[in-house]
Amino acid sequence: MNFNEIVKKDLSNSEIMQKIAEYWKKQYYQDSDVTILSIEEKLIELREELEKNYVADHIPDDLYTITAANRIDTVTGEEIIDVYRIFAEDRKRYSASYASFKDILHYEVLFPSDITKIDFLSETLWEITFDGFTEEEKYKSRTELENTIKETEDLQQSMDNIKAFIEYFKEKKTSDERLLLINNYQPLTNSVIEDWSDNFDDVEGDTTEIDSWWSNVNVLKQDKELLEEFLLIFGMEYEIFLNQNSNH
């Protein structure tokens, strides 16, 4: 059974839709003013969006199966339902969040034997809509993610290049004041540790488990002013070094 068949069969069933809305209210909206009725209305909008995005003869670039498994959350220690895609070729797991509705509708669905149908449907629908209830929202979110990944990869490459240049410079150059100067740019080659615990509220003044978990996060970052200063001083030599390495 593919996802489109589930949309036509289960998301047209008012009883199932109500149970999914009750599940979402309990799991994700318990502390908000969102009502079960408003969640049902949102689910109807989602069903209509999925129906609109279904193209019968569409073939996804890659074939996946959507399924789920129970696992223990590493942060809270609670048991959660982990929804994921299985790639047909390598059988590895991938997130379902950023897959397009157009593709998802053609994915096969494997219902886990140890998870109830309502729980599985509720978590799967939450997973695929986490970044937007429309294809346009999902596309925007997916593009932002891809850009972030590209920026991170570019930053990592820049850090690796500067580190290699510093090592090369120290080995090849004579010992003078410039060898001492190059050490000032070591921070351009390392990630920095940031305290992200302020992003979460304290509970009665105590540090929560989440606060502690986020308290030491390694972040890839380069000081722009330091990088500009580095390029101003070593720019020509650095460019020659990169060109020589790219030719090897």
Side-chain angles (χ1 to χ4, degrees), residues 16-57:
I16 289 177
M17 292 284 273
Q18 182 179 2
K19 288 182 178 179
I20 293 173
E22 291 171 351
Y23 183 99
W24 278 18
K25 174 63 179 176
K26 180 181 178 181
Q27 295 294 325
Y28 300 112
Y29 295 108
Q30 65 267 43
D31 297 327
S32 71
D33 295 330
V34 177
T35 65
I36 290 177
L37 179 60
S38 65
I39 297 175
E40 285 187 81
E41 292 173 349
K42 199 68 176 175
L43 286 168
I44 292 172
E45 292 176 13
L46 171 62
R47 182 187 66 206
E48 293 173 349
E49 178 71 14
L50 290 169
E51 290 172 345
K52 184 178 72 175
N53 277 277
Y54 177 68
V55 179
D57 59 355

Side-chain angles (χ1 to χ4, degrees), residues 93-111:
R93 298 183 180 187
Y94 297 88
S95 169
S97 295
Y98 291 97
S100 69
F101 288 155
K102 187 177 179 181
D103 284 350
I104 287 174
L105 289 164
H106 288 273
Y107 292 163
E108 290 298 309
V109 178
L110 176 62
F111 285 88

Side-chain angles (χ1 to χ4, degrees), residues 10-221:
D10 295 321
L11 297 193
S12 296
N13 185 310
S14 59
E15 183 179 351
I16 289 177
M17 292 284 273
Q18 182 179 2
K19 288 182 178 179
I20 293 173
E22 291 171 351
Y23 183 99
W24 278 18
K25 174 63 179 176
K26 180 181 178 181
Q27 295 294 325
Y28 300 112
Y29 295 108
Q30 65 267 43
D31 297 327
S32 71
D33 295 330
V34 177
T35 65
I36 290 177
L37 179 60
S38 65
I39 297 175
E40 285 187 81
E41 292 173 349
K42 199 68 176 175
L43 286 168
I44 292 172
E45 292 176 13
L46 171 62
R47 182 187 66 206
E48 293 173 349
E49 178 71 14
L50 290 169
E51 290 172 345
K52 184 178 72 175
N53 277 277
Y54 177 68
V55 179
D57 59 355
H58 173 68
I59 301 177
D61 291 337
D62 296 307
L63 296 179
Y64 291 89
T65 298
I66 293 183
T67 189
N70 290 308
R71 71 173 178 84
I72 301 300
D73 190 292
T74 56
V75 177
T76 65
E78 298 177 353
E79 185 175 76
I80 61 172
I81 298 173
D82 183 21
V83 177
Y84 53 89
R85 295 177 293 162
I86 300 177
F87 187 33
E89 292 187 8
D90 60 18
R91 306 303 297 170
K92 291 184 179 179
R93 298 183 180 187
Y94 297 88
S95 169
S97 295
Y98 291 97
S100 69
F101 288 155
K102 187 177 179 181
D103 284 350
I104 287 174
L105 289 164
H106 288 273
Y107 292 163
E108 290 298 309
V109 178
L110 176 62
F111 285 88
S113 59
D114 57 344
I115 299 174
T116 67
K117 180 178 182 179
I118 293 298
D119 288 1
F120 173 71
L121 287 177
S122 300
E123 288 292 345
T124 301
L125 290 172
W126 180 263
E127 179 73 13
I128 69 170
T129 59
F130 186 80
D131 299 282
F133 281 82
T134 68
E135 187 71 351
E136 182 180 354
E137 290 171 340
K138 288 184 71 66
Y139 177 79
K140 179 181 178 182
S141 178
R142 190 165 61 250
T143 301
E144 290 174 350
L145 174 66
E146 290 170 352
N147 290 339
T148 299
I149 292 173
K150 180 64 166 57
E151 290 171 2
T152 301
E153 291 175 344
D154 290 346
L155 178 55
Q156 183 63 65
Q157 186 62 58
S158 172
M159 294 167 73
D160 292 343
N161 288 341
I162 293 174
K163 183 177 181 179
F165 174 75
I166 289 175
E167 293 175 352
Y168 163 83
F169 189 91
K170 286 183 176 181
E171 180 181 347
K172 299 297 182 181
K173 298 298 180 179
T174 58
S175 178
D176 57 16
E177 68 276 5
R178 300 185 79 215
L179 285 175
L180 296 176
L181 178 63
I182 196 70
N183 289 324
N184 296 330
Y185 301 100
Q186 198 70 42
L188 293 175
T189 70
N190 300 315
S191 59
V192 297
I193 296 178
E194 289 189 354
D195 184 353
W196 283 13
S197 60
D198 288 342
N199 294 330
F200 301 90
D201 295 329
D202 288 345
V203 179
E204 297 180 354
D206 295 329
T207 301
T208 66
E209 184 177 0
I210 292 179
D211 290 336
S212 176
W213 190 74
W214 283 103
S215 61
N216 291 304
V217 179
N218 283 296
V219 180
L220 289 176
K221 181 183 291 185

Side-chain angles (χ1 to χ4, degrees), residues 216-233:
N216 291 304
V217 179
N218 283 296
V219 180
L220 289 176
K221 181 183 291 185
Q222 282 187 343
D223 185 317
K224 290 184 178 179
E225 292 184 3
L226 190 62
L227 180 59
E228 290 175 359
E229 183 182 322
F230 168 81
L231 293 174
L232 183 64
I233 298 173

